[in-house]
Amino acid sequence: MTEVKKDIRRCSKEEICSFFVSHNAPSFHGNQVYEWLWQKAAIDFEQMTNLSKAHRALLDKHFIINHTNIAKVQISDDGTIKNAVRLYDDKVVESVLIPAKTRSTACVSSQVGCSLDCTFCATSQLKRMRNLNPDEIFDQVTMLNKQSLEHFERPLSNIVFMGMGEPMMNYPNVMKAIDKITSPEGMGMSPKRITVSTSGIPKMIVKMADEYPRFKLAVSLHSAIEETRNQIMPFSTSFPLTDLQDSIRYWFSKTKTRVTYEYVVWKNINDSKAEIDALVRFCKKTPSKVNLIEYNPVGNDQFNQADDDAINQYVAALEKSHIPVTIRRSRGKDIDAACGQLANKT
Ligand code: SAH
């Protein structure tokens, strides 16, 4: 019977060391392999040139590396690069490299499709097919880092979990990937440069505050009035805004870092004075800032970007209460790479 090869990136360093010992080889080869996998992002045992040919063949006999492949690259007029990333089971996710003057931001996916049902988001129409494994998340980051070096001669400066999927619904794998991205044995990136964005699952925000209070948190709020939010983000019916508020307060008490609220203003949905007042009240409860995101149409007539006047009223009201607010223009719209547009169209 042929042995089913195990994905070596599911093994801990200790397991790889023991593998060598059990094959009468020195344990330190395990450290070398681990370094190749997580520091040098090797995708083939042949690349592991400080191992003998025999040891490379031994690895090849027992293991595989289920790495991802880029199926398609699209480059926007504004320099944004979108990748369709093919997984080992032929499923596809998208990840985006967003260059600015001096920075390169990686926007990565955490699920194939999405568990949630935000009615304004193209990804939600795909439904959730499966969670990404830690190495599939890690691969997106190393791939975008390589592209940033190639195209812009600098490594990634930031990573945002704002691609496809809800990171809190794939919590263990997202955290394992972040461990690899931040650990000195991996990419060694500062956690302060990582932002996890969630639609707002209170108990997971609390868990994350207890376990990983090191990176930044963004919450896709879009309305601070329960009825409106329940309408546009139906899943949130199970998570009252007061619970979300409490979890954010807890996050702040643990991390002492401001939460960012992602917020799109739509015509006749959340462009009223009542909505503006509710947001200001919500923001005052915990130190926070607001990112007003431009709406990217995804073929749902119900949603239209609000007038500039409404956006200006939001900005004025927030600033009056000393709540930092920025207006974020979309990037990569022409190639469907902007917020909410990731839907494997190609
Ligand atoms: N599920 C997580 C991660 C996705 S981030 C979350 O919701 O935070 C993607 C961001 O883009 C979220 O803030 C989301 O609300 C926003 N978004 C979704 N559809 C959009 C659209 N059509 N236009 C602009 N922003 C959108």
Side-chain angles (χ1 to χ4, degrees):
M1 201 176 83
T2 49
E3 186 193 353
V4 179
K5 293 186 191 181
K6 185 171 178 184
D7 183 356
I8 194 161
R9 290 194 295 178
R10 300 288 176 85
C11 300
S12 65
K13 187 159 75 177
E14 292 66 34
E15 283 168 331
I16 307 174
C17 291
S18 316
F19 168 81
F20 278 106
V21 173
S22 69
H23 287 82
N24 304 317
S27 140
F28 76 86
H29 287 325
N31 299 342
Q32 291 172 312
V33 171
Y34 201 78
E35 204 175 292
W36 276 108
L37 293 174
W38 298 110
Q39 236 171 40
K40 301 179 191 157
I43 57 169
D44 196 310
F45 297 118
E46 276 312 300
Q47 290 172 277
M48 304 183 177
T49 44
N50 55 358
L51 295 179
S52 69
K53 276 209 158 96
H55 284 145
R56 281 183 255 162
L58 179 69
L59 287 170
D60 195 42
K61 188 169 166 221
H62 293 271
F63 298 103
I64 44 165
I65 305 175
N66 268 336
H67 63 91
T68 58
N69 288 301
I70 302 182
K72 183 169 178 157
V73 179
Q74 286 172 279
I75 302 186
S76 155
D77 292 342
D78 67 19
T80 300
I81 300 176
K82 181 171 88 168
N83 299 287
V85 182
R86 181 171 292 122
L87 311 173
Y88 72 92
D89 57 358
D90 274 344
K91 294 203 165 33
V92 173
V93 290
E94 294 179 328
S95 57
V96 184
L97 179 66
I98 309 156
K101 252 191 201 136
T102 54
R103 302 194 318 183
S104 289
T105 301
C107 177
V108 298
S109 294
S110 54
Q111 298 183 306
V112 187
C114 188
S115 309
L116 303 181
D117 52 8
C118 306
T119 46
F120 47 82
C121 179
T123 309
S124 73
Q125 289 155 18
L126 295 176
K127 302 295 169 213
R128 187 194 79 92
M129 290 178 226
R130 72 167 171 86
N131 284 334
L132 291 188
N133 295 322
D135 46 271
E136 292 169 330
I137 298 170
F138 182 81
D139 278 356
Q140 294 175 64
V141 174
T142 53
M143 184 186 78
L144 293 168
N145 190 43
K146 210 165 135 215
Q147 277 176 339
S148 181
L149 288 165
E150 275 165 21
H151 289 260
F152 310 107
E153 290 163 13
R154 57 174 182 247
L156 291 178
S157 44
N158 300 78
I159 300 173
V160 295
F161 281 83
M162 294 189 185
M164 295 168 133
E166 168 52 46
M168 294 297 101
M169 302 298 260
N170 184 18
Y171 180 86
N173 291 354
V174 169
M175 296 308 139
K176 275 183 202 153
I178 292 180
D179 275 343
K180 291 287 188 294
I181 295 163
T182 54
S183 118
E185 288 188 323
M187 287 177 74
M189 190 161 182
S190 162
K192 291 195 192 108
R193 294 178 175 278
I194 299 177
T195 302
V196 174
S197 179
T198 173
S199 303
I201 316 281
K203 72 169 192 281
M204 298 314 288
I205 294 176
V206 168
K207 187 171 165 65
M208 195 164 77
D210 282 335
E211 294 176 0
Y212 288 92
R214 297 175 301 143
F215 39 77
K216 292 190 183 147
L217 177 67
V219 174
S220 302
L221 189 61
H222 303 309
S223 175
I225 294 182
E226 196 104 54
E227 300 79 65
T228 312
R229 201 164 188 267
N230 290 350
Q231 232 171 42
I232 59 177
M233 303 167 84
F235 76 88
S236 64
T237 319
S238 319
F239 308 108
L241 269 176
T242 46
D243 288 359
L244 181 59
Q245 182 99 67
D246 289 346
S247 69
I248 292 169
R249 191 176 304 125
Y250 186 72
W251 168 268
F252 183 79
S253 75
K254 287 278 182 167
T255 64
K256 304 286 179 282
T257 55
R258 281 172 194 271
V259 172
T260 300
Y261 297 124
E262 308 288 331
Y263 204 99
V264 179
V265 188
W266 292 283
K267 202 176 263 184
N268 299 330
I269 290 181
N270 60 354
D271 58 350
S272 64
K273 183 162 184 319
E275 289 281 350
I276 298 176
D277 292 345
L279 177 64
V280 171
R281 274 197 306 278
F282 195 90
C283 289
K284 277 185 179 167
K285 299 252 169 67
T286 318
S288 55
K289 57 185 176 187
V290 176
N291 247 345
L292 294 174
I293 322 176
E294 192 182 335
Y295 175 56
N296 303 303
V298 294
N300 182 341
D301 295 345
Q302 196 198 339
F303 293 98
N304 291 292
Q305 168 82 27
D307 299 334
D308 284 352
D309 188 39
I311 313 268
N312 293 338
Q313 285 180 34
Y314 261 101
V315 173
L318 290 163
E319 285 182 342
K320 195 168 159 219
S321 295
H322 308 289
I323 298 153
V325 51
T326 47
I327 299 180
R328 208 170 75 203
R329 295 263 163 256
S330 288
R331 302 286 307 273
K333 246 186 185 174
D334 54 331
I335 54 165
D336 286 326
C339 286
Q341 290 188 316
L342 302 184
N344 288 348
K345 268 202 200 159
T346 52

